[in-house]
Amino acid sequence: MNQTTLIAPPLERGATGAEAPVRPGRSATWLARTLRGRPDDSPLVRPALMALLVASGLLYLWGLGASGWANSFYSAAVQAGSESWKAFFFGSSDAANSITVDKTPMALWPMALSVRLFGLSSWSMLAPQALMGVGSVGLLYVTVRRSTSNAWAGLFAGAVLALTPVAVLMFRFNNPDALLTLLLIAAVYATIRAIESPERAVRWLVLGGTLVGLAFLTKMMQAFLVLPPLVMVYLVAATPPFGRRILHLLAAFGSMILAAGWWIAIVELWPASSRPYIGGSQNNSILELTLGYNGFGRLNGNEVGSVGGGNTAGGGNWGETGLLRMFSSEIGGQIAWLLPAALALLVLGLWFLRSAGRTDQRIVGLVVWGGWLVVTALTFSLMAGIFHAYYTVALAPAIAAVVAIGAAVLWDHRESLVATLGAAFVIAMTAAMSFTLLGRSADFLPWLKYVVLVTGVVSAVLLVLHRMLPRRAMLAVAGAILITALAGPTAYAVDTASTPHTGSIPSAGPSTGSSVGGGGGRAGGAGGGPTGQRPAQQGQAQQGQAGGQANQGQGTTGGLLSGSESTDAIDALLTADSGSYTWVAAAVGANTAAGYQLATELPVMSIGGFNGSDPSPTLERFQQNVADGEVHYFIASTDAGGRGGPGASSTGTSSQISTWVSESFTAQTVDGVTVYDLSGGIQ
C-alpha cells in the first residue's frame, strides 16, 4: 500500500455505483478548526484561549445582581430608554424627557435594548457590560497575537487585562467605560490590519476611524486620547508613499467625524423646545458639554456647573496631580500593578528591535500600545479637572499589550545577557510594586505580599542563572514569574468581583483608607463611611433592591453620588393616579430622582441634572408644569432642610424651586422622606 492510499479520504458508493470520497461536512470542519485552532499552534493554545474567555465570563458575571442598580444615575437613563425611543436616542434621565445624562448616550443603548428584551433588572442591565469585557479580552488576544506571531503572548495580554482590578470593576458596572474600552481596542486592531494589508488599508482605516467616532459617542473626548498613537504608528509603519498615507488618514478622520458627528448635529439642529435639556451644560448645548464640562474643562479644571471644581496648586477635590498620580494610594491598586513593568518593557523592547525595519509588527505593536499608554497616563496624571480612579481602566489594555509584546521580544532575545538582566529587573520591580500595593490594605491577605516578594526575588535570581538550570526547573521558574506578575491583581480582582458596588464613584479592591472626590471615593457614593469600612457594604442591602422592588421601613433621598431609596409606602404614593401626570414626582439632583424612578418605573423629573446645578427647569417653567398638572409630588432633598439639594447654589435654579415649593405647599413625611403634594394648588 503506497503513501497516497494511506492519506486518501474514505470512499462511499454513489447512486451510479461508482466510489466517491467521503468529505466531512462544513459544520464538522468548522467545529474541528474552532476546537483545534491554527495548524501551527500548540494543541494547548485553543483550550487555553477558551479557558481564558470562560474564566473571564465567570469573573464578570458571577453574582452580578448583587450590585443592584450600580450607578443609579445611568440606571435611570437605561430604564427611561427602555420605555421611550426618544429618551433612548437622547439619553434622557426619565421617559418624559426633562433632561439628559451628562454624556453622549451610546453606552446606554446596549443596556436599554437588553432591558427592553428581558425586563428591568440588575442582570439585564449589567450583563451587556460583562459581555463587552469578555469581548475586550478576546479582541486584545487577537490583536497582540498579530503583533508578535506568538499565541502565548496574546493569551498573557488577555489574562492581564481580564485580571486588572479596575477592569473587573468596570466590566461589572454600568458606567460608559466598558464599551469605550472595547471600541478603542477594536480601533487599534483595525489600524494594525491597515498596516499589514496596504491594498485594503483605506478600508481598515475607515473602520478604525468609525470605531473612534463611536467611542466618542460613548464617552466624548476621552476617546481621542488614542488618536496620537494611531496616527503616529500608521505614518511610521505603513508602506504606501507618505502622501498616500496622509490621504488614508484623512479618510479615517472623515469617517470618525461622521460616526461621532451625526448625533451631535441632530441634537444641535433639533428645536430645544421639543427635546430634553442637555444635562451637564449651562446653556442647553451639546457643543458646550463636549468642549467644556466633558472636554477641555477636564484638563484645566474650568468646569462650569461642576461641584468642587478643579485642582489648585497640584491638589484639590480630585486628588494630587503629578507624574506619580497613577501610583497613589487611591489609584495604585486599581491599575499600577504592572505599570512600571510596562514602561520598562516598552523601552527594552524598542531597544532590542532598533535594527528591525519600521514595518516589523512587534515595533508596530509597541509603538501603538506604548503611545496609548504614555499619552493616556500623562493626561490622567496631570489633568486638573474631575478625575476618578475608575477612569484608569483605559490604561488596562495598553499595559497588558505592552507587557506581553515586550516579554515576547525578550524571549526572542533570551540568549542575550542584556535581555536576561532586563527581564530579571522587570520581575524584581514587579514584585516590589505588588508588595507595596498589597501593603496598603493591611487587613487584606497580609501574607500574600511576602509570598509575592520572595517569589519574585527568587525567580529573578534563577532567571539570571537559567543556563545552569534543567528545563524542568525553568518551567517552575516560569510559573513563579506568573505568580509574581498576577497574584496581587488576581486577589484584588476576586475581591472586586465578590463585593457589590454602588454609587457614582466605584473603586476596585479592598479599602486603602483613602478617597478623592469629596464623596468617600469608594463604592456607595456620598458621605463614604467609617474609616476602613466599604460604603458599598454599608449600602448593598439597600441598593440591591433591583427589578422595581422597594424596601420596608425608612426611605432615603440619596445624595450627589448615591441613588435614593424608596419604600413600599412611597411607591404606593407615587403610583397612585400616575396616569394623570407626566412626572409622578420631581426631585433635586439626578441621583435623588433615580431611586424613586427605578422603584416605580415611572418618570421622575431630575431638577438640575446630576449635580443639581444645571438651570433646568427654570423656576417659571417648573411653576407652569405644576399649574398644568404635569408634576404630582416634589420630594425634598435632605440638604438644608430640602432647600437647594445636592450641588445647587443658594441662588441657583434648584434652590429657587425648592424654596418656592416649601413656601407654597404643605409638607408630609412618608417613611422619613419629606414629600409635597403639588396637585392641590398653592396653599
Side-chain angles (χ1 to χ4, degrees), residues 63 68 161 278 296 412 479 491 621 639:
L161 174 60
I278 304 301
F296 298 111
D412 291 340
R621 178 61 184 168
D639 295 355

Side-chain angles (χ1 to χ4, degrees), residues 308-320:
N311 290 303
T312 58
N317 286 322
W318 315 117
E320 293 289 332

